[in-house]
Amino acid sequence: MIRSAKMSRYSPAEIEARWQAAWEKDDVFKAVRSAEKPKYYVLEMFPYPSGRIHMGHVRNYTMGDVIARYKIATGHSVLHPMGWDAFGMPAENAAMAIGGHPKDWTYGNIADMRDQMKPLGLSIDWSREFATCDPEYYGQQQALFLDFLQEGLVYRKNAIVNWDPVDMTVLANEQVEGGRGWRSGALVERRELTQWFFKISDHSEELLAALDTLDNWPAKVKLMQANWIGKSRGLQFAFSTIDAPEGFDRIEVYTTRPDTLLGASFVGISPDHPLAKLLEKTNPEIAAFCAECRKGGTTEEAIETAEKLGMDIGLRVRHPFDTSWELPVYIANFILMDYGTGAIFGCPAHDQRDFDFATKYGLPIISTFLPAEDADPKVTEAFVPAKSEKVYYNGKFAGETWQTGEEAVAAAIEACEAQGVGQGVTKYRLRDWGLSRQRYWGCPIPVVHCDACGVVPEKKENLPIELPYDVDFGTPGNPLDRHPTWRNCACPSCGAAAKRETDTMDTFVDSSWYFARFTSPHADTPTVMEDAAYWMNVDQYIGGIEHAILHLLYSRFFARAMQITGHLPESAIEPFDALFTQGMVTHEIYLTRDDKDRPVYHLPEDVTDGKLADGTPVEIIPSAKMSKSKKNVVDPLGIIASYGADTARWFVLSDSPPERDVEWTASGAEAAFKHLGRVWNISTRTTEMPKDEEGEGDTDLLRAMHKTIHDVTMGVESFGFNAAIAKLYAFTATLQKSKAGHTAQREAIMTLAQLMAPMTPHLAEEIWTAQGGTGLITTAPWPKADAAMLIDDTVTLPIQINGKRRAEIQVPADMPKEEVEKRALNHEAVLRILDGATPKKVIVVPGRIINVVV
RNA sequence: GCGGGCGUGAUGGAAUGGUAGACAUACCAGACUUAAAAUCUGUUGGGCCUUGUGCCCGUGGGGGUUCGAGUCCCCCCGCCCGCACCA
């Protein structure tokens, strides 16, 4: 039994540890399957174990915690787990930079971060914790991989990587800086390797169509995913070539704008197109050009922003509608082999990129449609109207003369098919997911290369294939490749000596099913159907908008793949019922300049009133993402030490809407702390009040209380935490000024504590106990607003004249519209402004507003 | 370059298409105090005059829809996120 000390001053350091111990002792956050209660699964995107928590974590996990605690109070059986996205490059980089081993570094960081997280008082079931680098986890991931392989969901093909020719190693995109390797500074090249792929593209249509079922996802995320999948309807057809090398008498192209076929002025192929590859073998000029095109990074951004280069390879093709019309063929660096057929036709009049290209290489620019019938067909820039806009087609082709782009495309496909020129095709931009990584600190791909049997899956009983510990990071590249013995194994098929695959998996694989693993985190199969069926789906998923596409799309694919392989029920193929994307925590940047005018950054604690300790004024850059290099960081541990976790939790929720960035300010944190102190003082005052004296305004206080219950409940349910907190501030002020009697005040302060409990659980427990509440506030039922107390007898309606507010009237809430209108028109100010004029129209929105139009 | 989002007082922000600026910070003023801190109370978008129950302007800029726009539509500017090997 917990007895609070005699209440005097609000001292979080003392109460927070005590209540955390109480929750742990009672196991209140242990997720238990229950037959009576509805379940609720709340999950925040798990962190990378960098070693230090930052304010962004505090905000993210506090939001999830508010939901979890609210759901506990509303009678749910709650699953709120935590784990670690623990594989990845930073651990290897640390090993290279400062020595040590990725495993030791990672587990050390996890221990540190767990220690930093626990004082926040989060409602997490720590018994379910795991790290993706635990062999227990990644062994099950290997089992999933083998099942996917058997189902044909995984295959091998060649793909392009960034190659550092000096370090002789593959580079991640972030390791390519301005087209050069980050360590060696060498110009990066593109190189082909055989790699493993998940067949996510087989599910393009499904993943696109199912977005419509995700009612509780932000529309922007669904839109981004839809655009990423990129479904298009176009025409695939061939240009016949003139005197081309053998096997290339046709060049297949795909276009989404067949209606512009009469504006074609050249054919472009990718430097990786089979024809380009053939020609570069014998033609040194073409070889040099292709090599030039292959310089630089592999990102779409790098390719799209690079200067457009092309080379006329001398080959000519015939236009499908006019065999006397010949077009040149260019190799061009902006054409992707991965999309369509790796070949396009260029229509400079209606595509800005083609326009720039044609201008550069002196190619003809032929208009096929115009904004108006009498518009000048001479083109000075690409005319690219929305596809839904009607335009005038000046060349004879297909469909109406005046039609939208969409109509024209459909008509063009139909016409081409009828003439035997190609066929209508639906394509998707989404590519298969390359999962091979030539790195050590990841989940080993459980396959074996046998001279006799080829690529053979490892036997499940040999899992997990564990990473060897004795590796060296002295030289760049994958230490698994260099390991003296680890690769050696017996072929699972024929038993002969064979070699292990040394590639490991993309860390996106690790994070694509962890949410399912949390439902049975220590099982010896990836999931347990019964547990998965009970806890899935995640009812509320919370994380950063930066994961809007890849992580969420991959997870959606994995849920389908796991369903196909019998690891998830059909009901869980859309694993996240509701998604919320939260904003960042930002802070001002403080800087001075050195003698060369370079910025010198200063920590917030070294700056007071815009000055350093020695009086030097600092430049201030507002609202910047917290980053170590800019020194605009606030350490949550320091804040917890000064003010307590409740203050940190309260502040990160109070100042901004959760989906937007919040600026951390010292004064804001101070204010949050003061406010919690005020609430504490009200509780103390209540306990010291005479118990049997009559007060004044009991009903007014309780009315305000019920309104607050209503508003805060709505706020929590709709992620309006900042608005909910504003209501709590207002109610605190009302309570503080109230002269109500003890019974009403006690009810008010206990209710206030309950409404605050999801945000400031320690303070809430302390007040609950001080007021004689039963049990823990954490498990006490959420207060219910009394509907009768929410209805006002009279309402104040603003009166607008021509949309400008000119007066207001008080009327009974249930007064009929006609009566309200009559009263408004007889209002003194209204009569004065109307000055005898007759209103043309009077709009009365009951309970809202009156607008008089003259 | 392409896709998505955001932009409101000195500051963070509030506002189912219906009183723009709730709530908080900061500032200023007052109470308490020998004083300071702490605490409490109050004022504060800009402008105008005739100081009123007053008028005009005001939600990045420009245009539009509507009785009514911060909110919806179009164009522009700025910032942020993503672009498939960062997590």
Side-chain angles (χ1 to χ4, degrees), chain A residues 31 66 160 247 268 337 342 348-349 397 449 459 758 849:
Chain A
V66 169
I160 293 164
M337 193 57 220
F397 190 32
H449 298 267
K459 290 178 182 163
I849 204 162

Side-chain angles (χ1 to χ4, degrees), chain A residues 270-291:
Chain A
S270 165
D272 299 310
H273 191 276
L275 176 58
K277 285 188 165 175
L278 177 75
L279 293 173
E280 72 177 328
K281 280 183 195 157
T282 51
N283 183 328
E285 219 180 318
I286 290 175
F289 181 76
C290 288

Side-chain angles (χ1 to χ4, degrees), chain A residues 680-736:
Chain A
W680 172 275
N681 290 340
I682 293 171
S683 174
T684 308
R685 182 186 77 183
T686 309
T687 52
E688 289 166 357
M689 274 176 83
K691 304 283 181 284
D692 39 17
E693 273 178 31
E694 288 256 320
E696 287 170 39
D698 286 17
T699 310
D700 288 345
L701 179 62
L702 294 179
R703 265 182 185 280
M705 182 188 86
H706 281 282
K707 277 213 172 87
T708 307
I709 293 173
H710 176 262
D711 292 346
V712 172
T713 304
M714 298 299 283
V716 169
E717 290 203 344
S718 64
F719 271 82
F721 302 130
N722 57 326
I725 283 178
K727 301 289 185 188
L728 289 167
Y729 268 112
F731 180 60
T732 305
T734 303
L735 177 53
Q736 190 161 33

